[in-house]
Amino acid sequence: MRRLIVNPGTDSAWEIPLQNGVATLGRVDGNDYVLDHPSVSSHHCEISVQASAVAVKDLGSSNGTFIGEQPVTESRLLPGQILRIGEVNLQLEDTAPSAASVSAQATVSAVAAGTHCRYHSRNPARLFCPKCHGSYCEMCVNVRAVGGISKSFCRACAVECMPVQFTEEEPVEISFASQIAGAFKYPFKGDGVVLICVGTILFLVVDGARWVSRFAFIYGLIAVILLTIFGTGYLTAFLRRVITSTAAGDEEMPEWPEMEDFSSDVFAPFMQLIGTVVFCFAPMIGLTIYALGAGPGDSSWLGWATTTAMLFGCVYFPMAFTAVAMSDSVLAVNPMVVIPSIMKVLRQYVLTVVVLAVILLARWLLHSLLEKILPVPLLPTIITSLIGLYLLVVEMRILGLLYRSNKDRLGWYRS
């Protein structure tokens, strides 16, 4: 019988017995198995159990689905492997292991842990062939059922492979400042350039449609509102993906989000962004409204007070937006969460805010200068949009690195 051990190796461990068929895991009622944890999405992933194998399929979760430390969209899950959904670990166990697998465990100590796959240098080797002495990841072996149990066989030797407990080598410590410098290279990795170009074209089309819609009066106003919600919400959903994928250890940009449901995929991110901005800048907004109705004698202190409130909002917003992105809830703007988090990582956060401020200033100067030095229709807009989206991705990458570097110190998902 197969089962998933939730929080394996801890005092709070409990098990999920698996039956043949398809089951869903998520945070809310309505799933076959409910995991009440803020890092788990409402409907996080799907477990497919057959006689020959167990497979996992991510359902578009916010914080990702991982086998070991590798993010997966759809993959086979082998006995002994750790499935991580959000911040929750689950280990697949098979209570009826074969004699071969038992003997293999006795030989594990003779195999060098920390080895990577012979054909995929970035993947950890979790299987070892005793005949050719090759180390492989799960993708480089043949898996077939023997006596109702899934077994892995070397593709070259057709010999059953031994499972190896992969132990990650001690990582080289990289300073946070160096990670920030590396964030400027991040959009150029993998398909990053293509994704930014596609995103630029998309938002130029949205802007063009918004401009044309002005000639339709009342219908144009409705179109402007809808296009603004769509463009802002879709961009926010993508930027949140950059933060969460970076926090999970991804080194390449995520794909642009799919749009299966306008309400959850576009409108919800839009409203979360609006809620975060309003909360962060509420003191400044309140003082501005008060200033509009204040008399001449009351305005002596309003200038510096409003400026102070604006600076407070600018400092508060990056951590608040990161918390909202990681938890997929606007309630994460809570000062009881954000302010202690800032204080725990104060030095790195100050550096983050300064870098983000410099990037924002660079974007503003670029927009101002290009219109003067390139008096060519559309060209300044295209260049500004392209570079602006690149810098936005860099900013989100930095916020993701801030969380990843201080994950244990922040303790947002600590049980």
Side-chain angles (χ1 to χ4, degrees):
M1 178 181 176
R2 300 187 184 99
R3 58 181 181 170
L4 286 173
I5 306 299
V6 184
N7 301 321
T10 68
D11 294 336
S12 59
W14 56 283
E15 67 178 54
I16 297 175
L18 297 179
Q19 304 293 334
N20 286 350
V22 178
T24 59
L25 278 74
R27 191 180 68 246
V28 300
D29 294 336
N31 291 282
D32 296 291
Y33 304 109
V34 177
L35 296 173
D36 186 13
H37 196 279
S39 67
V40 178
S41 295
S42 300
H43 299 279
H44 200 106
C45 67
E46 184 179 270
I47 303 289
S48 177
V49 182
Q50 301 177 357
S52 59
V54 176
V56 180
K57 180 181 180 182
D58 186 78
L59 297 177
S61 61
S62 296
N63 292 326
T65 301
F66 299 79
I67 293 181
E69 292 301 323
Q70 298 297 316
V72 297
T73 302
E74 187 169 359
S75 180
R76 186 187 302 270
L77 181 64
L78 299 178
Q81 287 187 319
I82 297 294
L83 168 66
R84 178 162 63 86
I85 61 175
E87 297 291 329
V88 179
N89 289 330
L90 306 94
Q91 185 173 30
L92 178 63
E93 284 193 357
D94 193 325
T95 55
S98 65
S101 65
V102 172
S103 63
Q105 290 296 331
T107 321
V108 165
S109 59
V111 181
T115 304
H116 288 75
C117 177
R118 174 181 289 183
Y119 300 114
H120 299 93
S121 59
R122 294 179 59 184
N123 291 356
R126 302 192 185 278
L127 297 158
F128 177 79
C129 176
K131 183 174 182 180
C132 67
H133 300 287
S135 298
Y136 306 104
C137 65
E138 293 88 344
M139 296 186 295
C140 295
V141 295
N142 292 324
V143 179
R144 60 177 182 268
V146 178
I149 299 175
S150 296
K151 296 185 178 181
S152 302
F153 295 86
C154 178
R155 291 182 178 178
C157 311
V159 172
E160 184 178 354
C161 294
M162 301 185 303
V164 177
Q165 183 64 43
F166 181 83
T167 304
E168 190 70 57
E169 297 175 353
E170 192 68 26
V172 178
E173 188 69 24
I174 302 176
S175 69
F176 184 64
S178 298
Q179 293 182 56
I180 288 180
F184 289 88
K185 302 177 184 178
Y186 170 73
F188 299 105
K189 295 180 179 179
D191 297 328
V193 174
V194 175
L195 290 169
I196 287 180
C197 290
V198 170
T200 301
I201 294 171
L202 172 66
F203 290 107
L204 284 174
V205 170
V206 171
D207 282 340
R210 186 186 294 119
W211 183 82
V212 172
S213 67
R214 293 176 184 174
F215 297 99
F217 300 105
I218 187 65
Y219 295 107
L221 178 62
I222 296 173
V224 168
I225 294 173
L226 291 176
L227 287 170
T228 300
I229 293 174
F230 169 77
T232 305
Y234 190 64
L235 177 61
T236 301
F238 171 69
L239 296 178
R240 281 174 27 178
R241 274 196 169 193
V242 174
I243 293 177
T244 55
S245 65
T246 297
D250 263 2
E251 294 301 323
E252 295 183 3
M253 282 174 53
E255 298 287 339
W256 284 90
E258 297 180 0
M259 289 184 292
E260 297 179 354
D261 178 53
F262 180 84
S263 176
S264 60
D265 298 334
V266 175
F267 188 70
F270 172 79
M271 292 305 298
Q272 287 181 356
L273 174 64
I274 296 299
T276 304
V277 171
V278 169
F279 187 90
C280 294
F281 293 94
M284 185 196 75
I285 295 171
L287 287 169
T288 302
I289 294 173
Y290 176 79
L292 294 176
D298 299 330
S299 60
S300 58
W301 58 274
L302 282 174
W304 63 262
T306 305
T307 302
T308 302
M310 181 185 69
L311 291 175
F312 173 80
C314 292
V315 172
Y316 193 91
F317 180 80
M319 185 64 81
F321 186 75
T322 304
V324 171
M326 293 301 300
S327 65
D328 193 22
S329 172
V330 75
L331 297 178
V333 300
N334 185 348
M336 299 298 291
V337 174
V338 175
I339 293 178
S341 296
I342 292 175
M343 299 309 297
K344 288 175 183 177
V345 295
L346 186 58
R347 292 179 60 185
Q348 294 186 3
Y349 190 68
V350 169
L351 177 59
T352 298
V353 171
V354 170
V355 172
L356 296 183
V358 171
I359 293 175
L360 285 172
L361 178 62
R363 287 169 57 192
W364 178 78
L365 290 174
L366 175 70
H367 181 73
S368 302
L369 290 174
L370 281 178
E371 292 184 347
K372 296 179 180 179
I373 64 177
L374 289 176
V376 180
L378 289 180
L379 186 58
T381 302
I382 294 173
I383 296 176
T384 301
S385 300
L386 186 65
I387 298 178
L389 184 56
Y390 160 78
L391 292 176
L392 270 176
V393 170
V394 171
E395 290 173 318
M396 297 304 108
R397 173 68 173 178
I398 292 172
L399 293 179
L401 290 171
L402 176 70
Y403 173 79
R404 191 169 80 186
S405 301
N406 300 280
K407 178 179 177 180
D408 294 333
R409 219 180 309 180
L410 292 171
W412 285 351
Y413 303 117
R414 191 172 295 150
S415 301

